mmCIF file of all heavy atoms in Angstrom:
data_model
loop_
_atom_site.group_PDB
_atom_site.id
_atom_site.type_symbol
_atom_site.label_atom_id
_atom_site.label_comp_id
_atom_site.label_asym_id
_atom_site.label_seq_id
_atom_site.Cartn_x
_atom_site.Cartn_y
_atom_site.Cartn_z
ATOM 1 N N ILE A 12 42.435 1.938 -32.996
ATOM 2 C CA ILE A 12 42.860 1.828 -34.387
ATOM 3 C C ILE A 12 43.490 0.442 -34.573
ATOM 4 O O ILE A 12 44.394 0.063 -33.832
ATOM 5 C CB ILE A 12 43.952 2.889 -34.730
ATOM 6 C CG1 ILE A 12 43.434 4.295 -34.463
ATOM 7 C CG2 ILE A 12 44.429 2.714 -36.165
ATOM 8 C CD1 ILE A 12 42.468 4.848 -35.480
ATOM 9 N N LEU A 13 43.012 -0.294 -35.558
ATOM 10 C CA LEU A 13 43.651 -1.528 -35.990
ATOM 11 C C LEU A 13 44.235 -1.228 -37.360
ATOM 12 O O LEU A 13 43.514 -0.838 -38.284
ATOM 13 C CB LEU A 13 42.641 -2.683 -36.094
ATOM 14 C CG LEU A 13 41.952 -3.074 -34.797
ATOM 15 C CD1 LEU A 13 40.939 -4.178 -35.047
ATOM 16 C CD2 LEU A 13 42.952 -3.521 -33.759
ATOM 17 N N ASN A 14 45.557 -1.389 -37.495
ATOM 18 C CA ASN A 14 46.235 -0.952 -38.704
ATOM 19 C C ASN A 14 47.115 -2.070 -39.243
ATOM 20 O O ASN A 14 47.988 -2.566 -38.541
ATOM 21 C CB ASN A 14 47.062 0.287 -38.393
ATOM 22 C CG ASN A 14 47.665 0.894 -39.639
ATOM 23 O OD1 ASN A 14 47.073 0.861 -40.696
ATOM 24 N ND2 ASN A 14 48.875 1.395 -39.514
ATOM 25 N N ILE A 15 46.876 -2.430 -40.509
ATOM 26 C CA ILE A 15 47.700 -3.441 -41.172
ATOM 27 C C ILE A 15 48.708 -2.678 -42.056
ATOM 28 O O ILE A 15 48.296 -1.909 -42.919
ATOM 29 C CB ILE A 15 46.827 -4.377 -42.053
ATOM 30 C CG1 ILE A 15 45.806 -5.100 -41.145
ATOM 31 C CG2 ILE A 15 47.707 -5.364 -42.817
ATOM 32 C CD1 ILE A 15 44.664 -5.715 -41.902
ATOM 33 N N THR A 16 49.988 -2.873 -41.795
ATOM 34 C CA THR A 16 51.002 -2.124 -42.516
ATOM 35 C C THR A 16 52.277 -2.931 -42.685
ATOM 36 O O THR A 16 52.526 -3.866 -41.957
ATOM 37 C CB THR A 16 51.314 -0.795 -41.775
ATOM 38 O OG1 THR A 16 52.236 -0.032 -42.555
ATOM 39 C CG2 THR A 16 51.919 -1.044 -40.416
ATOM 40 N N HIS A 17 53.071 -2.504 -43.686
ATOM 41 C CA HIS A 17 54.413 -3.075 -43.873
ATOM 42 C C HIS A 17 55.467 -1.983 -43.717
ATOM 43 O O HIS A 17 56.640 -2.229 -44.028
ATOM 44 C CB HIS A 17 54.528 -3.754 -45.241
ATOM 45 C CG HIS A 17 53.682 -4.967 -45.373
ATOM 46 N ND1 HIS A 17 52.434 -4.953 -45.941
ATOM 47 C CD2 HIS A 17 53.883 -6.245 -44.952
ATOM 48 C CE1 HIS A 17 51.909 -6.181 -45.896
ATOM 49 N NE2 HIS A 17 52.785 -6.966 -45.307
ATOM 50 N N LEU A 18 55.080 -0.806 -43.283
ATOM 51 C CA LEU A 18 56.023 0.293 -43.130
ATOM 52 C C LEU A 18 56.435 0.432 -41.671
ATOM 53 O O LEU A 18 55.601 0.615 -40.788
ATOM 54 C CB LEU A 18 55.419 1.619 -43.621
ATOM 55 C CG LEU A 18 55.173 1.730 -45.109
ATOM 56 C CD1 LEU A 18 54.547 3.085 -45.446
ATOM 57 C CD2 LEU A 18 56.466 1.530 -45.895
ATOM 58 N N PRO A 19 57.746 0.380 -41.386
ATOM 59 C CA PRO A 19 58.194 0.472 -39.989
ATOM 60 C C PRO A 19 57.873 1.835 -39.346
ATOM 61 O O PRO A 19 57.604 1.878 -38.143
ATOM 62 C CB PRO A 19 59.707 0.253 -40.078
ATOM 63 C CG PRO A 19 60.072 0.492 -41.500
ATOM 64 C CD PRO A 19 58.857 0.160 -42.322
ATOM 65 N N GLN A 20 57.829 2.906 -40.136
ATOM 66 C CA GLN A 20 57.530 4.227 -39.578
ATOM 67 C C GLN A 20 56.108 4.241 -39.003
ATOM 68 O O GLN A 20 55.809 4.987 -38.062
ATOM 69 C CB GLN A 20 57.663 5.323 -40.638
ATOM 70 C CG GLN A 20 59.038 5.496 -41.208
ATOM 71 C CD GLN A 20 59.195 4.724 -42.499
ATOM 72 O OE1 GLN A 20 58.643 3.653 -42.688
ATOM 73 N NE2 GLN A 20 60.006 5.254 -43.396
ATOM 74 N N ILE A 21 55.223 3.461 -39.596
ATOM 75 C CA ILE A 21 53.848 3.419 -39.147
ATOM 76 C C ILE A 21 53.665 2.316 -38.097
ATOM 77 O O ILE A 21 53.048 2.530 -37.048
ATOM 78 C CB ILE A 21 52.886 3.224 -40.329
ATOM 79 C CG1 ILE A 21 52.925 4.511 -41.191
ATOM 80 C CG2 ILE A 21 51.470 2.927 -39.866
ATOM 81 C CD1 ILE A 21 52.092 4.497 -42.426
ATOM 82 N N ALA A 22 54.256 1.165 -38.350
ATOM 83 C CA ALA A 22 54.099 0.036 -37.410
ATOM 84 C C ALA A 22 54.650 0.392 -36.023
ATOM 85 O O ALA A 22 54.075 -0.004 -35.006
ATOM 86 C CB ALA A 22 54.829 -1.192 -37.947
ATOM 87 N N SER A 23 55.707 1.177 -35.982
ATOM 88 C CA SER A 23 56.322 1.507 -34.685
ATOM 89 C C SER A 23 55.377 2.328 -33.806
ATOM 90 O O SER A 23 55.553 2.386 -32.582
ATOM 91 C CB SER A 23 57.623 2.277 -34.902
ATOM 92 O OG SER A 23 57.376 3.520 -35.518
ATOM 93 N N ARG A 24 54.369 2.946 -34.383
ATOM 94 C CA ARG A 24 53.430 3.783 -33.624
ATOM 95 C C ARG A 24 52.399 2.966 -32.864
ATOM 96 O O ARG A 24 51.681 3.515 -32.022
ATOM 97 C CB ARG A 24 52.699 4.760 -34.553
ATOM 98 C CG ARG A 24 53.620 5.668 -35.334
ATOM 99 C CD ARG A 24 54.378 6.544 -34.394
ATOM 100 N NE ARG A 24 55.370 7.325 -35.084
ATOM 101 C CZ ARG A 24 55.820 8.466 -34.680
ATOM 102 N NH1 ARG A 24 55.381 8.989 -33.562
ATOM 103 N NH2 ARG A 24 56.722 9.108 -35.358
ATOM 104 N N GLY A 25 52.311 1.687 -33.125
ATOM 105 C CA GLY A 25 51.324 0.844 -32.457
ATOM 106 C C GLY A 25 51.651 0.605 -30.997
ATOM 107 O O GLY A 25 52.811 0.442 -30.608
ATOM 108 N N GLU A 26 50.627 0.572 -30.187
ATOM 109 C CA GLU A 26 50.804 0.279 -28.743
ATOM 110 C C GLU A 26 51.009 -1.212 -28.539
ATOM 111 O O GLU A 26 51.702 -1.661 -27.637
ATOM 112 C CB GLU A 26 49.581 0.754 -27.968
ATOM 113 C CG GLU A 26 49.795 0.794 -26.484
ATOM 114 C CD GLU A 26 48.662 1.485 -25.757
ATOM 115 O OE1 GLU A 26 48.057 2.444 -26.316
ATOM 116 O OE2 GLU A 26 48.363 1.061 -24.634
ATOM 117 N N HIS A 27 50.355 -2.015 -29.384
ATOM 118 C CA HIS A 27 50.492 -3.479 -29.370
ATOM 119 C C HIS A 27 50.702 -3.931 -30.799
ATOM 120 O O HIS A 27 50.208 -3.305 -31.737
ATOM 121 C CB HIS A 27 49.223 -4.151 -28.810
ATOM 122 C CG HIS A 27 48.851 -3.706 -27.452
ATOM 123 N ND1 HIS A 27 49.497 -4.142 -26.310
ATOM 124 C CD2 HIS A 27 47.907 -2.821 -27.020
ATOM 125 C CE1 HIS A 27 48.968 -3.564 -25.255
ATOM 126 N NE2 HIS A 27 47.994 -2.759 -25.651
ATOM 127 N N HIS A 28 51.431 -5.016 -30.971
ATOM 128 C CA HIS A 28 51.673 -5.559 -32.293
ATOM 129 C C HIS A 28 51.251 -7.021 -32.350
ATOM 130 O O HIS A 28 51.537 -7.791 -31.422
ATOM 131 C CB HIS A 28 53.164 -5.451 -32.669
ATOM 132 C CG HIS A 28 53.600 -4.047 -32.924
ATOM 133 N ND1 HIS A 28 54.199 -3.280 -31.979
ATOM 134 C CD2 HIS A 28 53.468 -3.286 -34.016
ATOM 135 C CE1 HIS A 28 54.465 -2.092 -32.476
ATOM 136 N NE2 HIS A 28 54.009 -2.063 -33.708
ATOM 137 N N PHE A 29 50.609 -7.350 -33.442
ATOM 138 C CA PHE A 29 50.195 -8.722 -33.716
ATOM 139 C C PHE A 29 50.869 -9.184 -34.998
ATOM 140 O O PHE A 29 50.995 -8.399 -35.940
ATOM 141 C CB PHE A 29 48.680 -8.836 -33.884
ATOM 142 C CG PHE A 29 47.902 -8.529 -32.613
ATOM 143 C CD1 PHE A 29 47.609 -7.219 -32.274
ATOM 144 C CD2 PHE A 29 47.512 -9.568 -31.794
ATOM 145 C CE1 PHE A 29 46.899 -6.943 -31.099
ATOM 146 C CE2 PHE A 29 46.792 -9.291 -30.621
ATOM 147 C CZ PHE A 29 46.494 -7.987 -30.273
ATOM 148 N N LEU A 30 51.277 -10.424 -35.036
ATOM 149 C CA LEU A 30 51.842 -10.987 -36.242
ATOM 150 C C LEU A 30 50.779 -11.874 -36.878
ATOM 151 O O LEU A 30 50.226 -12.748 -36.235
ATOM 152 C CB LEU A 30 53.092 -11.834 -35.896
ATOM 153 C CG LEU A 30 53.752 -12.524 -37.076
ATOM 154 C CD1 LEU A 30 54.360 -11.504 -38.036
ATOM 155 C CD2 LEU A 30 54.818 -13.495 -36.571
ATOM 156 N N VAL A 31 50.530 -11.620 -38.163
ATOM 157 C CA VAL A 31 49.614 -12.447 -38.937
ATOM 158 C C VAL A 31 50.508 -13.370 -39.787
ATOM 159 O O VAL A 31 51.383 -12.890 -40.493
ATOM 160 C CB VAL A 31 48.683 -11.605 -39.827
ATOM 161 C CG1 VAL A 31 47.778 -12.510 -40.651
ATOM 162 C CG2 VAL A 31 47.858 -10.653 -38.967
ATOM 163 N N TYR A 32 50.263 -14.670 -39.713
ATOM 164 C CA TYR A 32 51.095 -15.599 -40.473
ATOM 165 C C TYR A 32 50.255 -16.784 -40.923
ATOM 166 O O TYR A 32 49.159 -17.026 -40.429
ATOM 167 C CB TYR A 32 52.292 -16.071 -39.611
ATOM 168 C CG TYR A 32 51.897 -16.798 -38.362
ATOM 169 C CD1 TYR A 32 51.882 -18.191 -38.291
ATOM 170 C CD2 TYR A 32 51.502 -16.093 -37.202
ATOM 171 C CE1 TYR A 32 51.498 -18.845 -37.132
ATOM 172 C CE2 TYR A 32 51.122 -16.751 -36.037
ATOM 173 C CZ TYR A 32 51.134 -18.130 -36.024
ATOM 174 O OH TYR A 32 50.734 -18.775 -34.866
ATOM 175 N N LYS A 33 50.795 -17.504 -41.904
ATOM 176 C CA LYS A 33 50.105 -18.682 -42.448
ATOM 177 C C LYS A 33 50.846 -19.939 -42.079
ATOM 178 O O LYS A 33 52.063 -19.954 -42.009
ATOM 179 C CB LYS A 33 49.983 -18.569 -43.972
ATOM 180 C CG LYS A 33 49.099 -17.394 -44.371
ATOM 181 C CD LYS A 33 48.840 -17.342 -45.833
ATOM 182 C CE LYS A 33 47.948 -16.117 -46.051
ATOM 183 N NZ LYS A 33 47.392 -15.999 -47.311
ATOM 184 N N GLU A 34 50.072 -20.996 -41.838
ATOM 185 C CA GLU A 34 50.633 -22.296 -41.488
ATOM 186 C C GLU A 34 49.902 -23.375 -42.310
ATOM 187 O O GLU A 34 48.748 -23.200 -42.683
ATOM 188 C CB GLU A 34 50.399 -22.620 -40.021
ATOM 189 C CG GLU A 34 51.392 -22.034 -39.079
ATOM 190 C CD GLU A 34 51.133 -22.523 -37.653
ATOM 191 O OE1 GLU A 34 49.960 -22.708 -37.282
ATOM 192 O OE2 GLU A 34 52.111 -22.718 -36.954
ATOM 193 N N GLN A 35 50.605 -24.479 -42.483
ATOM 194 C CA GLN A 35 49.969 -25.601 -43.140
ATOM 195 C C GLN A 35 49.607 -26.645 -42.104
ATOM 196 O O GLN A 35 50.434 -26.969 -41.212
ATOM 197 C CB GLN A 35 50.925 -26.226 -44.172
ATOM 198 C CG GLN A 35 50.184 -26.964 -45.228
ATOM 199 C CD GLN A 35 50.816 -26.770 -46.593
ATOM 200 O OE1 GLN A 35 52.004 -26.485 -46.679
ATOM 201 N NE2 GLN A 35 50.033 -26.885 -47.630
ATOM 202 N N THR A 36 48.369 -27.118 -42.142
ATOM 203 C CA THR A 36 47.910 -28.135 -41.179
ATOM 204 C C THR A 36 48.408 -29.503 -41.627
ATOM 205 O O THR A 36 48.924 -29.684 -42.745
ATOM 206 C CB THR A 36 46.365 -28.156 -41.094
ATOM 207 O OG1 THR A 36 45.842 -28.594 -42.332
ATOM 208 C CG2 THR A 36 45.827 -26.779 -40.743
ATOM 209 N N HIS A 37 48.207 -30.520 -40.763
ATOM 210 C CA HIS A 37 48.582 -31.876 -41.110
ATOM 211 C C HIS A 37 47.773 -32.377 -42.309
ATOM 212 O O HIS A 37 48.249 -33.234 -43.052
ATOM 213 C CB HIS A 37 48.382 -32.822 -39.902
ATOM 214 C CG HIS A 37 49.298 -32.510 -38.779
ATOM 215 N ND1 HIS A 37 50.659 -32.618 -38.876
ATOM 216 C CD2 HIS A 37 49.044 -32.054 -37.516
ATOM 217 C CE1 HIS A 37 51.212 -32.270 -37.723
ATOM 218 N NE2 HIS A 37 50.252 -31.906 -36.858
ATOM 219 N N ALA A 38 46.595 -31.823 -42.490
ATOM 220 C CA ALA A 38 45.738 -32.231 -43.598
ATOM 221 C C ALA A 38 46.134 -31.529 -44.890
ATOM 222 O O ALA A 38 45.526 -31.762 -45.946
ATOM 223 C CB ALA A 38 44.289 -31.940 -43.269
ATOM 224 N N GLY A 39 47.123 -30.634 -44.826
ATOM 225 C CA GLY A 39 47.586 -29.966 -46.042
ATOM 226 C C GLY A 39 46.881 -28.651 -46.347
ATOM 227 O O GLY A 39 47.115 -28.021 -47.372
ATOM 228 N N GLU A 40 46.001 -28.216 -45.443
ATOM 229 C CA GLU A 40 45.310 -26.946 -45.642
ATOM 230 C C GLU A 40 46.161 -25.800 -45.116
ATOM 231 O O GLU A 40 46.910 -25.947 -44.162
ATOM 232 C CB GLU A 40 43.973 -26.926 -44.883
ATOM 233 C CG GLU A 40 42.963 -27.934 -45.371
ATOM 234 C CD GLU A 40 41.715 -27.916 -44.515
ATOM 235 O OE1 GLU A 40 41.839 -27.734 -43.266
ATOM 236 O OE2 GLU A 40 40.622 -28.076 -45.054
ATOM 237 N N THR A 41 46.036 -24.658 -45.760
ATOM 238 C CA THR A 41 46.724 -23.451 -45.305
ATOM 239 C C THR A 41 45.761 -22.620 -44.473
ATOM 240 O O THR A 41 44.659 -22.323 -44.935
ATOM 241 C CB THR A 41 47.248 -22.615 -46.488
ATOM 242 O OG1 THR A 41 48.119 -23.441 -47.259
ATOM 243 C CG2 THR A 41 48.005 -21.388 -46.018
ATOM 244 N N VAL A 42 46.182 -22.268 -43.247
ATOM 245 C CA VAL A 42 45.319 -21.461 -42.376
ATOM 246 C C VAL A 42 46.088 -20.221 -41.942
ATOM 247 O O VAL A 42 47.311 -20.252 -41.797
ATOM 248 C CB VAL A 42 44.850 -22.258 -41.129
ATOM 249 C CG1 VAL A 42 43.932 -23.413 -41.504
ATOM 250 C CG2 VAL A 42 46.020 -22.777 -40.318
ATOM 251 N N SER A 43 45.356 -19.137 -41.747
ATOM 252 C CA SER A 43 45.949 -17.919 -41.241
ATOM 253 C C SER A 43 45.820 -17.868 -39.727
ATOM 254 O O SER A 43 44.787 -18.256 -39.175
ATOM 255 C CB SER A 43 45.245 -16.699 -41.854
ATOM 256 O OG SER A 43 45.478 -16.647 -43.232
ATOM 257 N N ASN A 44 46.873 -17.375 -39.084
ATOM 258 C CA ASN A 44 46.867 -17.238 -37.625
ATOM 259 C C ASN A 44 47.300 -15.831 -37.254
ATOM 260 O O ASN A 44 47.882 -15.112 -38.056
ATOM 261 C CB ASN A 44 47.841 -18.241 -36.992
ATOM 262 C CG ASN A 44 47.378 -19.674 -37.143
ATOM 263 O OD1 ASN A 44 46.268 -20.002 -36.787
ATOM 264 N ND2 ASN A 44 48.243 -20.507 -37.690
ATOM 265 N N ILE A 45 47.038 -15.477 -36.007
ATOM 266 C CA ILE A 45 47.446 -14.180 -35.490
ATOM 267 C C ILE A 45 47.851 -14.369 -34.036
ATOM 268 O O ILE A 45 47.245 -15.159 -33.311
ATOM 269 C CB ILE A 45 46.323 -13.117 -35.621
ATOM 270 C CG1 ILE A 45 46.819 -11.742 -35.213
ATOM 271 C CG2 ILE A 45 45.083 -13.543 -34.876
ATOM 272 C CD1 ILE A 45 45.849 -10.619 -35.532
ATOM 273 N N ARG A 46 48.931 -13.678 -33.647
ATOM 274 C CA ARG A 46 49.327 -13.748 -32.239
ATOM 275 C C ARG A 46 49.944 -12.432 -31.780
ATOM 276 O O ARG A 46 50.570 -11.707 -32.556
ATOM 277 C CB ARG A 46 50.253 -14.905 -31.948
ATOM 278 C CG ARG A 46 51.615 -14.799 -32.525
ATOM 279 C CD ARG A 46 52.464 -16.036 -32.166
ATOM 280 N NE ARG A 46 53.782 -15.959 -32.755
ATOM 281 C CZ ARG A 46 54.791 -15.284 -32.245
ATOM 282 N NH1 ARG A 46 54.645 -14.590 -31.123
ATOM 283 N NH2 ARG A 46 55.971 -15.258 -32.850
ATOM 284 N N LEU A 47 49.751 -12.117 -30.512
ATOM 285 C CA LEU A 47 50.293 -10.912 -29.908
ATOM 286 C C LEU A 47 51.792 -11.100 -29.706
ATOM 287 O O LEU A 47 52.226 -12.156 -29.227
ATOM 288 C CB LEU A 47 49.588 -10.664 -28.545
ATOM 289 C CG LEU A 47 50.056 -9.442 -27.755
ATOM 290 C CD1 LEU A 47 49.753 -8.156 -28.481
ATOM 291 C CD2 LEU A 47 49.367 -9.443 -26.387
ATOM 292 N N LEU A 48 52.567 -10.082 -30.074
ATOM 293 C CA LEU A 48 54.014 -10.149 -29.949
ATOM 294 C C LEU A 48 54.487 -9.638 -28.582
ATOM 295 O O LEU A 48 53.906 -8.710 -28.029
ATOM 296 C CB LEU A 48 54.698 -9.328 -31.047
ATOM 297 C CG LEU A 48 54.432 -9.774 -32.471
ATOM 298 C CD1 LEU A 48 55.098 -8.821 -33.466
ATOM 299 C CD2 LEU A 48 54.898 -11.205 -32.692
ATOM 300 N N THR A 49 55.559 -10.231 -28.088
ATOM 301 C CA THR A 49 56.195 -9.720 -26.884
ATOM 302 C C THR A 49 56.979 -8.470 -27.250
ATOM 303 O O THR A 49 57.159 -8.169 -28.454
ATOM 304 C CB THR A 49 57.178 -10.768 -26.303
ATOM 305 O OG1 THR A 49 58.250 -10.944 -27.231
ATOM 306 C CG2 THR A 49 56.487 -12.084 -25.984
ATOM 307 N N ASP A 50 57.487 -7.754 -26.262
ATOM 308 C CA ASP A 50 58.257 -6.544 -26.548
ATOM 309 C C ASP A 50 59.469 -6.842 -27.440
ATOM 310 O O ASP A 50 59.755 -6.095 -28.371
ATOM 311 C CB ASP A 50 58.731 -5.900 -25.238
ATOM 312 C CG ASP A 50 57.594 -5.220 -24.478
ATOM 313 O OD1 ASP A 50 56.526 -5.003 -25.102
ATOM 314 O OD2 ASP A 50 57.762 -4.900 -23.298
ATOM 315 N N GLU A 51 60.198 -7.928 -27.130
ATOM 316 C CA GLU A 51 61.405 -8.229 -27.948
ATOM 317 C C GLU A 51 60.984 -8.694 -29.354
ATOM 318 O O GLU A 51 61.658 -8.379 -30.339
ATOM 319 C CB GLU A 51 62.269 -9.264 -27.257
ATOM 320 C CG GLU A 51 63.634 -9.444 -27.875
ATOM 321 C CD GLU A 51 64.432 -8.124 -28.051
ATOM 322 O OE1 GLU A 51 64.320 -7.229 -27.232
ATOM 323 O OE2 GLU A 51 65.164 -8.048 -29.050
ATOM 324 N N GLU A 52 59.883 -9.448 -29.465
ATOM 325 C CA GLU A 52 59.413 -9.857 -30.783
ATOM 326 C C GLU A 52 58.982 -8.662 -31.628
ATOM 327 O O GLU A 52 59.185 -8.644 -32.841
ATOM 328 C CB GLU A 52 58.236 -10.840 -30.635
ATOM 329 C CG GLU A 52 58.625 -12.220 -30.159
ATOM 330 C CD GLU A 52 57.433 -13.097 -29.843
ATOM 331 O OE1 GLU A 52 56.367 -12.561 -29.445
ATOM 332 O OE2 GLU A 52 57.562 -14.316 -30.024
ATOM 333 N N ARG A 53 58.439 -7.645 -30.958
ATOM 334 C CA ARG A 53 58.079 -6.407 -31.684
ATOM 335 C C ARG A 53 59.314 -5.799 -32.346
ATOM 336 O O ARG A 53 59.291 -5.401 -33.501
ATOM 337 C CB ARG A 53 57.483 -5.376 -30.723
ATOM 338 C CG ARG A 53 56.117 -5.693 -30.207
ATOM 339 C CD ARG A 53 55.702 -4.739 -29.135
ATOM 340 N NE ARG A 53 55.456 -3.403 -29.668
ATOM 341 C CZ ARG A 53 55.155 -2.343 -28.950
ATOM 342 N NH1 ARG A 53 55.067 -2.447 -27.634
ATOM 343 N NH2 ARG A 53 54.938 -1.180 -29.509
ATOM 344 N N VAL A 54 60.416 -5.763 -31.580
ATOM 345 C CA VAL A 54 61.681 -5.212 -32.083
ATOM 346 C C VAL A 54 62.156 -6.005 -33.296
ATOM 347 O O VAL A 54 62.529 -5.446 -34.339
ATOM 348 C CB VAL A 54 62.757 -5.169 -30.975
ATOM 349 C CG1 VAL A 54 64.125 -4.802 -31.563
ATOM 350 C CG2 VAL A 54 62.357 -4.226 -29.854
#
């Protein structure tokens, strides 16, 4: 199951958590990124 949510009751059920975030490049473009969170980052 891959689940995109903003509810902690649901997010906490995940075995792994990824953070999706946006960044601006040097050229001024906005790009979306994703990275696996560590245990403490999950908290």
Side-chain angles (χ1 to χ4, degrees):
I12 303 284
L13 298 177
N14 187 35
I15 300 163
T16 185
H17 293 97
L18 291 180
Q20 298 95 326
I21 292 177
S23 65
R24 302 296 174 153
E26 194 171 326
H27 302 283
H28 289 97
F29 293 84
L30 178 67
V31 178
Y32 61 99
K33 294 187 180 190
E34 276 185 326
Q35 204 141 26
T36 66
H37 295 296
E40 295 177 323
T41 302
V42 294
S43 294
N44 292 307
I45 186 170
R46 70 180 178 80
L47 179 64
L48 298 178
T49 66
D50 287 344
E51 192 52 34
E52 287 173 330
R53 290 171 69 184
V54 172

